[in-house]
């Protein structure tokens, strides 16, 4: 994005992350694929085996359909919702900052099983460099705006959101905001994370959270003042690009194509019933595998955006 003049005010209206209706539709298509393929293959034959398959896959689809409602309802985490409400109420803690490098941190640690295994945990964050009120650099350490944590189907949402921001907003300035009720969040979070948002001068908001090492200096040290928000200003979330990454999506599309091709013989009535049931089961499973691979492939983020750094547990150094 091109550079813009600084905005003195902090928006009171902070937009939520938009729902990805394409992702939601894909999830439900995948969930119901085994049932639909099996039911089409059975086609009212009255087979006990086909009926059992349809009953089991229908139960499976119903359970996962309720589980997948998180895709529709959970856009922001509880901490981010508190920050959004505090901004709308009129006050947040805020400092001027500049969007810097996007970092993928790989943390190596022992598994704790006693077998000598080592696990690696990936985390994503953007480095924000505090600025003085006139736009110059401030003599303060950078703040890591980490991606939102999620649950169920929302796990990768924060990483994608931060990745889109990193691709568009590098070098831009704005306000790094924390909720006025930050003590409530830090006191109830076992990791003592506090929700944060970077509100850019371009009129966009980047949601995330800050670790204790980052917010302590500013909030407990009272370096970030409590500021009034401007009810006439608003900030929206960056639109999500529609992107195809061959490494993430290519094989999944092959599975989906195989699922579609497997349905043709029994839909045309060109095979015996038993073969049709077998092809229906294979088509449903292939569709399910395609969706699972697509969801897991979402973790493969654009490597050009991220600077990779490695950290290790003290016992491994």
């Amino acid at each position: 994005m091109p550079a813009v003049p600084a905005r003195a005010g902090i928006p009171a209206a902070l937009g939520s992350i938009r729902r990805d209706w394409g992702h939601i539709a894909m999830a439900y298509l995948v969930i119901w694929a085994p049932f639909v393929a099996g039911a089409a293959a059975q086609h009212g034959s009255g087979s006990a085996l086909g009926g059992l398959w349809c009953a089991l896959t229908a139960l499976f689809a119903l359970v996962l359909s309720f589980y997948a409602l998180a895709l529709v309802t959970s856009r922001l985490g509880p901490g981010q919702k508190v920050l959004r409400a505090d901004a709308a109420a009129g006050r947040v803690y805020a400092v001027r900052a500049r969007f810097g490098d996007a970092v993928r941190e790989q943390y190596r640690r022992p598994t704790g099983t006693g077998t000598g295994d080592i696990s690696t945990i990936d985390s994503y964050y953007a480095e924000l460099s505090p600025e003085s009120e006139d736009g110059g650099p401030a003599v303060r350490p950078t703040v890591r705006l980490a991606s939102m944590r999620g649950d169920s189907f929302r796990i990768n949402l924060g990483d994608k959101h931060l990745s889109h921001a990193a691709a568009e907003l590098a070098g831009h300035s704005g306000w790094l905001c924390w909720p006025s009720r930050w003590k409530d969040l830090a006191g109830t979070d076992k990791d003592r994370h506090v929700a944060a948002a970077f509100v850019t001068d371009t009129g966009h908001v980047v949601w995330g959270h800050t670790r204790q090492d980052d917010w302590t200096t500013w909030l407990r040290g009272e370096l970030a003042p409590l500021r009034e928000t401007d009810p006439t200003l608003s900030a929206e979330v960056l639109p999500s690009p529609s992107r195809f990454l061959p490494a993430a999506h290519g094989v999944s599309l092959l599975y989906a194509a195989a699922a579609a091709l497997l349905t043709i013989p029994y839909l045309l009535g060109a095979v015996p019933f038993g073969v049709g049931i077998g092809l229906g089961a294979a088509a449903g499973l292939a569709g399910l595998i395609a969706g699972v691979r697509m969801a897991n492939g979402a973790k493969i983020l654009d490597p050009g955006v991220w600077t990779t750094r490695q950290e290790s547990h003290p016992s491994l150094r």
Side-chain angles (χ1 to χ4, degrees):
M1 282 190 174
V4 297
R7 279 205 301 188
I10 302 173
L14 303 180
S16 180
I17 296 178
R18 299 175 181 86
R19 291 172 177 83
D20 187 343
W21 292 109
H23 187 203
I24 294 170
M26 183 203 76
Y28 278 93
L29 285 171
V30 167
I31 287 169
W32 284 94
F35 168 75
V36 172
Q42 176 157 337
H43 196 56
S45 66
S47 165
L49 179 61
L52 178 61
W53 169 267
C54 292
L56 291 176
T57 53
L59 179 62
F60 166 84
L62 286 170
V63 171
L64 281 192
S65 292
F66 283 107
Y67 188 61
L69 288 176
L71 286 170
V72 181
T73 59
S74 300
R75 298 290 93 192
L76 297 178
Q80 286 74 32
K81 291 178 181 178
V82 170
L83 172 52
R84 191 183 186 199
D86 287 351
R91 297 197 303 173
V92 294
Y93 289 93
V95 294
R96 291 288 299 177
R98 182 181 296 271
F99 200 103
D101 291 337
V103 178
R104 174 193 180 195
E105 185 177 273
Q106 295 180 315
Y107 185 75
R108 300 169 65 250
R109 66 177 185 180
T111 60
T113 60
T115 60
D117 292 336
I118 297 173
S119 63
T120 302
I121 300 174
D122 287 346
S123 60
Y124 298 86
Y125 61 85
E127 292 183 330
L128 305 181
S129 302
E131 295 180 330
S132 61
E133 295 295 328
D134 59 4
V139 186
R140 291 286 186 272
T142 59
V143 180
R144 294 168 294 183
L145 180 66
S147 61
M148 288 191 304
R149 294 169 297 168
D151 50 15
S152 65
F153 283 93
R154 195 163 55 87
I155 289 174
N156 297 317
L157 183 65
D159 294 346
K160 291 180 182 178
H161 172 61
L162 193 62
S163 184
H164 299 156
E168 295 285 347
L169 298 175
H172 282 270
S173 297
W175 294 96
L176 173 59
C177 303
W178 289 280
S180 58
R181 292 175 286 173
W182 67 268
K183 292 181 180 179
D184 296 338
L185 297 180
T188 56
D189 190 303
K190 66 177 182 178
D191 296 321
R192 300 186 65 78
H193 293 157
V194 173
F198 182 60
V199 185
T200 70
D201 294 330
T202 61
H204 297 96
V205 57
V206 184
W207 292 102
H209 74 271
T210 49
R211 305 169 188 174
Q212 186 174 5
D213 293 344
D214 294 292
W215 61 257
T216 297
T217 302
W218 298 95
L219 297 178
R220 204 174 294 284
E222 299 183 347
L223 295 178
L226 190 62
R227 301 177 185 269
E228 301 290 331
T229 57
D230 188 341
T232 65
L233 296 177
S234 63
E236 296 297 328
V237 174
L238 284 164
S240 299
S242 176
R243 302 188 62 185
F244 173 77
L245 294 177
H249 306 135
V251 177
S252 300
L253 292 179
L254 291 178
Y255 273 100
L261 290 174
L262 287 170
T263 64
I264 294 175
Y266 64 78
L267 288 177
L268 295 178
V271 294
F273 171 73
V275 175
I277 284 291
L279 290 175
L285 291 176
L288 186 62
I289 293 171
V292 171
R293 287 187 58 90
M294 189 75 76
N296 289 333
K299 298 177 183 178
I300 303 176
L301 302 177
D302 188 349
V305 173
W306 302 96
T307 299
T308 301
R309 297 176 185 169
Q310 290 189 344
E311 296 287 340
S312 298
H313 188 272
S315 64
L316 300 176
R317 294 172 186 168

